[in-house]
Amino acid sequence: MKVWPMGCKKIEKDSDLEKILKDPNYIGQEKIKGVRAVMHVLPDGSLRFTTRGSSLSDPNTPLDITHRLPHLTKFKIPALAGTILDSEMWAEDM
C-alpha cells in the first residue's frame, strides 16, 4: 500500500511560527530526536516503516526504512492491524 502524507514546509521566521502555533486551524510539532516516517501496522500486528517521500529513481513508491528502526520492529500490535500513523519515530542515533 502506498500512503502519501501531507507535506510540510520549514518555518523560516519566528514570527511565522508564533502565528501558526496560535492558529486553531493548524497542528504542529517540534522535531525532537528521530526521523519522520509512516508506520504501517500489518495484518499480523508487526510494524513496517516507510519514508514520507520517494527516491528519485522511483518517484511513485515510498522508501522502506524498516531496517533503520530495529528497536521499534520488535513490537507487535495486532489490535491495531491496518492502522497507519505519520509521525516522528524515535531514533537515538539520528
Side-chain angles (χ1 to χ4, degrees), residues 3 10-11 14 16-18 23 25 28 34-35 43 47-48 52-53 58 60 62 67 72-73 79 82-83 88 91 93:
V3 176
K10 183 177 179 182
I11 296 177
D14 287 344
D16 291 340
L17 174 62
E18 290 301 318
D23 189 326
N25 295 309
V35 61
L47 305 179
R48 179 176 155 250
R52 301 178 86 238
D58 186 3
N60 295 314
H67 65 283
L72 297 177
T73 59
T83 300
E88 179 180 358
D93 297 334

Side-chain angles (χ1 to χ4, degrees), residues 32-35 68-69 71-72 88-94:
I32 300 169
K33 189 172 190 172
V35 61
R68 291 175 53 193
L69 300 163
H71 60 291
L72 297 177
E88 179 180 358
M89 305 300 167
W90 180 73
E92 185 175 8
D93 297 334
M94 295 183 165

Side-chain angles (χ1 to χ4, degrees), residues 3-67:
V3 176
W4 295 106
M6 180 173 51
C8 63
K9 293 182 180 179
K10 183 177 179 182
I11 296 177
E12 300 295 336
K13 297 186 287 186
D14 287 344
S15 59
D16 291 340
L17 174 62
E18 290 301 318
K19 182 179 174 183
I20 288 174
L21 290 176
K22 291 178 182 178
D23 189 326
N25 295 309
Y26 290 92
I27 296 175
Q29 74 180 122
E30 178 183 3
K31 185 174 180 308
I32 300 169
K33 189 172 190 172
V35 61
R36 284 278 196 203
V38 178
M39 181 180 84
H40 308 259
V41 184
L42 303 178
D44 68 351
S46 62
L47 305 179
R48 179 176 155 250
F49 300 94
T50 60
T51 58
R52 301 178 86 238
S54 63
S55 70
L56 293 175
S57 61
D58 186 3
N60 295 314
T61 304
L63 297 172
D64 189 306
I65 58 168
T66 305
H67 65 283

